[in-house]
Amino acid sequence: DIQMTQSPSSLSASVGDRVTISCRASQTINNYLNWYQQKPGSAPKLLIYAASSLQSGVPSRFSGSGSGTDFTLTISSLQPEDFATYYCQQTYSNFATFGQGTKVDVK
Amino acid sequence: QVTLRESGPALMKPTQTLTLTCSFSGFSLTTSGLCVSWIRQPPGKALEWLARIDWDDGKYYSTSLKTRLTISKDTSKNQVVLTMTNMDPLDTATYYCARVISGSDYEIFDYWGQGTLVTVSS
């Protein structure tokens, strides 16, 4: 199975900060990389798909980059509603796998 | 409007078989490129993909759980059913179903149910 490793596992940030989360795949996954946001008690929400495409309705402060094995999610200016846990996911194989998550909390 | 809703038992005993139903609306599993996946999340832990069923009845299972899982669909009822045998307390989790769109160069889980918490305890 393809393993997904996120870093950091958690980070503390302030409103207005630029936040970057990394995700590494154990083998090349081309651009089959998605990012989700999850808030406590809620289902995950799709933010970015195909590594860099913004899902409809998602604010433009969210962006994704990368290809092959290394990917990045960037929040350009953190907003109060962005404090949450973020997951990367590969769908290159028929057996999707998620990263372990990155929790973004208030500094 | 796409919606999905999971249903199943809230409490189970070890060794029992779990049956979960995902009832959905706003799309059909007869449409090419559409699939439904099951994902679970133990309390305070990460998401874990379990299984997927495709519009053409293709079925895929987590490598680590494949001996315990069975996924099926009833297109007339717009339902997908997941069974998991030999439940253990470590299977305590919120179980989600999600719609999957399989495109030419992407695959996304774009709509999710609200999840159902299954607790396994003797």
Side-chain angles (χ1 to χ4, degrees):
Chain A
D1 289 1
I2 299 174
Q3 308 301 318
M4 306 301 294
T5 303
Q6 288 182 235
S7 61
S9 297
S10 65
L11 65 90
S12 298
S14 301
V15 172
D17 284 353
R18 181 181 182 87
V19 170
T20 299
I21 299 169
S22 298
C23 179
R24 173 167 288 179
S26 60
Q27 65 182 73
T28 184
I29 57 171
N30 293 344
N31 286 350
Y32 284 78
L33 190 285
N34 305 321
W35 290 98
Y36 298 85
Q37 176 194 67
Q38 188 180 32
K39 296 181 180 179
S42 296
K45 172 188 173 183
L46 178 66
L47 299 176
I48 301 286
Y49 66 94
S52 61
S53 296
L54 193 67
Q55 174 68 351
S56 176
V58 174
S60 59
R61 63 181 179 272
F62 292 93
S63 64
S65 63
S67 65
T69 61
D70 293 302
F71 302 87
T72 300
L73 172 70
T74 299
I75 309 172
S76 60
S77 178
L78 195 68
Q79 297 301 301
E81 61 268 31
D82 300 337
F83 292 102
T85 301
Y86 294 85
Y87 292 93
C88 63
Q89 177 205 36
Q90 69 79 20
T91 53
Y92 177 74
S93 75
N94 284 321
F95 311 94
T97 47
F98 292 89
Q100 81 277 18
T102 296
K103 184 176 182 179
V104 178
D105 61 20
V106 179
K107 180 183 285 184
Chain B
Q1 181 187 2
V2 173
T3 64
L4 302 98
R5 185 182 76 251
E6 306 88 350
S7 58
L11 183 62
M12 302 191 67
K13 294 187 182 303
T15 75
Q16 288 184 326
T17 294
L18 171 66
T19 299
L20 292 170
T21 301
C22 177
S23 301
F24 57 87
S25 63
F27 67 99
S28 172
L29 258 183
T30 62
T31 301
S32 178
L34 295 187
C35 322
V36 169
S37 269
W38 284 94
I39 306 98
R40 72 178 179 180
Q41 185 173 39
K45 296 190 176 181
L47 300 164
E48 178 184 18
W49 176 80
L50 300 176
R52 189 184 93 203
I53 190 163
D54 297 352
W55 74 98
D56 60 0
D57 212 35
K59 299 172 185 176
Y60 305 91
Y61 298 100
S62 162
T63 303
S64 60
L65 292 168
K66 62 182 178 181
T67 61
R68 300 173 53 203
L69 296 173
T70 303
I71 193 169
S72 62
K73 61 182 171 74
D74 185 331
T75 53
S76 66
K77 294 182 178 180
N78 282 347
Q79 290 181 335
V80 170
V81 174
L82 181 76
T83 62
M84 180 181 293
T85 61
N86 194 24
M87 292 292 283
D88 181 272
L90 289 176
D91 296 313
T92 293
T94 296
Y95 287 75
Y96 296 99
C97 61
R99 186 180 82 158
V100 181
I101 298 179
S102 183
S104 58
D105 57 358
Y106 62 85
E107 181 179 294
I108 61 173
F109 292 32
D110 64 341
Y111 287 92
W112 295 60
Q114 83 281 8
T116 186
L117 175 62
V118 178
T119 301
V120 184
S121 174
S122 55

